[in-house]
């Protein structure tokens, strides 16, 4: 009985866990799905999740982290809106002995300030997107317009880098315009409208590379309103693999997307559980998979399947 009692009090079982989650906001369908899945994963594990939506503002994320520290939570999940500006608040969490796990984006900070980061390989995502376009256009001249993600965020920086690596050495492919659409449909549409106006009504544009599907879906609307056929006159490649992108693909209005799982919380909670039990630190990076989907992959079927994955 003594041993049993000792076990009960040594390891913090999942039912006692209180975890604070500082979420960026709900700028995209993917982000909303990540929130849904994180809440489902917490529920399934009996974790008491304290959720804070920062409305895209870093200062709100910092405030939320301070509040979680004051509440004495057992751990903090952070989806960091930008790469910089986290050192002091993460030092406060470290001093309070509260482990921090990064979700879907990385930060420029000493690695001892967070337990691990659960993210995709965002340079690889950009490379997969670029490689697809290189293969698809062959030797044809192709002027590309690029809708970047949130300025200063790790995905925007990495996805740009990976795509440029892929098209390097293929002089027929050139990025002629590149601007942030802040990962949203509305801004993606607005910036694409300005690209179309600036490029002879879009006749000189061969392809769109958008750092996420939501900006691509907004841009597809703009292309149609300009009287052009998205997916034909202007090819599209983007990242996330949200249901509405597959709807566009099934209609022949989008060509390719690189999948990002919204389930970052599953691996995060597993790593946290193991750490709390063993005190052994996990690797600093837990990588999630990336998969290319094109019109050849039965987009209607994938659209239906996606409905059950938090969307
Ligand atoms: O691609 C986008 C969201 O941080 C990788 O953020 C994530 C990105 C994702 O706004 O839809």
């Amino acid at each position: 009985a003594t041993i049993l009692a000792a076990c009960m009090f040594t390891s913090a079982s999942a039912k006692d866990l209180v975890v604070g989650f500082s979420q960026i906001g709900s700028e995209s369908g993917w982000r909303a799905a990540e929130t849904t899945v994180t809440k489902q994963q917490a529920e399934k594990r009996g974790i008491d999740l304290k959720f804070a939506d920062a409305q895209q503002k870093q200062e709100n994320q910092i405030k939320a982290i301070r509040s979680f520290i004051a509440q004495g939570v057992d751990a903090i999940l952070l989806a960091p809106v930008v790469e910089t500006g986290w050192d002091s608040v993460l030092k406060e969490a470290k001093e309070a002995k509260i482990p921090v796990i990064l979700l879907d984006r990385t930060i420029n900070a000493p690695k001892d300030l967070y337990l691990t980061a659960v993210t995709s390989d965002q340079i690889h995502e950009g490379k997969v997107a670029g490689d697809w376009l290189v293969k698809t256009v062959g030797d044809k001249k192709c002027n590309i317009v690029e809708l970047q993600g949130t300025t200063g965020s790790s995905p925007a920086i990495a996805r740009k880098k990976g795509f440029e690596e892929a098209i390097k050495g293929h002089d027929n492919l050139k990025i002629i315009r590149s601007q942030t659409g802040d990962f949203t449909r509305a801004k993606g549409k607005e910036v694409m409208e300005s690209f179309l106006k600036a490029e002879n009504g879009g006749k000189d544009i061969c392809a769109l590379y958008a750092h996420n599907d939501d900006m691509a879906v907004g841009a597809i609307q703009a292309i149609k309103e300009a009287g052009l056929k998205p997916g034909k006159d202007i090819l599209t490649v983007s990242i996330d693999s949200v249901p509405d992108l597959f709807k566009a693909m099934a209609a022949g209005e989008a060509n390719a997307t690189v999948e990002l799982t919204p389930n970052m919380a599953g691996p995060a909670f597993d790593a946290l559980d193991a750490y709390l039990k063993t005190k052994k630190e996990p690797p600093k990076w837990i990588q999630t998979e990336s998969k290319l989907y094109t019109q050849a992959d039965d987009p209607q079927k994938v659209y239906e399947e996606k409905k059950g994955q938090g969307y």
Side-chain angles (χ1 to χ4, degrees), residues 39-167:
K39 289 178 177 173
Q40 288 168 345
Q41 288 289 328
E43 179 78 26
K44 187 172 99 174
R45 300 154 190 257
I47 289 171
D48 176 3
L49 189 77
K50 308 286 183 195
F51 179 75
D53 178 324
Q55 319 272 324
Q56 319 301 119
K57 292 186 175 65
Q58 180 174 33
E59 66 262 25
N60 291 344
Q61 292 203 279
I62 291 170
K63 273 190 213 122
I65 293 169
R66 291 206 162 108
S67 143
F68 294 145
I69 293 169
Q71 290 172 54
V73 298
D74 298 296
I76 291 170
L77 300 182
L78 169 64
V81 61
V82 290
E83 285 192 330
T84 55
W86 301 102
D87 293 40
S88 55
V89 74
L90 293 185
K91 276 188 192 119
E92 291 165 34
K94 188 176 174 68
E95 273 142 31
K97 299 199 181 339
I98 299 174
V100 174
I101 296 181
L102 305 180
L103 296 192
D104 73 81
R105 295 187 186 178
T106 53
I107 60 175
N108 290 343
K111 290 197 180 321
D112 69 323
L113 291 182
Y114 59 89
L115 184 65
T116 187
V118 181
T119 81
S120 55
D121 178 337
Q122 291 158 357
I123 293 178
H124 175 68
E125 291 169 333
K127 189 128 185 1
V128 168
D131 288 343
W132 172 83
L133 190 60
V134 166
K135 201 164 60 49
T136 304
V137 301
D139 301 337
K140 199 168 74 78
K141 178 176 182 297
C142 188
N143 285 338
I144 304 158
V145 293
E146 179 183 27
L147 289 170
Q148 296 181 35
T150 301
T151 304
S153 69
S154 67
I157 294 161
R159 288 172 179 173
K160 181 167 192 43
K161 185 172 184 313
F163 187 87
E164 286 170 352
E165 268 171 26
I167 67 169

Side-chain angles (χ1 to χ4, degrees), residues 23-24 26-32 34 56 79-81 103-106 119-120 122 125 149-150 153-156 159 182-184 211-215 239-242 258 260-261 264 311:
Q23 177 58 297
I24 292 173
S26 54
E27 74 280 2
S28 70
W30 182 88
R31 178 76 49 203
E34 183 191 54
Q56 319 301 119
V81 61
L103 296 192
D104 73 81
R105 295 187 186 178
T106 53
T119 81
S120 55
Q122 291 158 357
E125 291 169 333
T150 301
S153 69
S154 67
R159 288 172 179 173
D182 213 11
F183 282 133
T184 70
H211 291 184
N212 82 333
D213 290 350
D214 278 59
M215 294 189 289
I239 300 166
D240 281 352
S241 295
V242 299
V258 183
L260 175 72
T261 175
M264 302 281 169
Y311 291 101

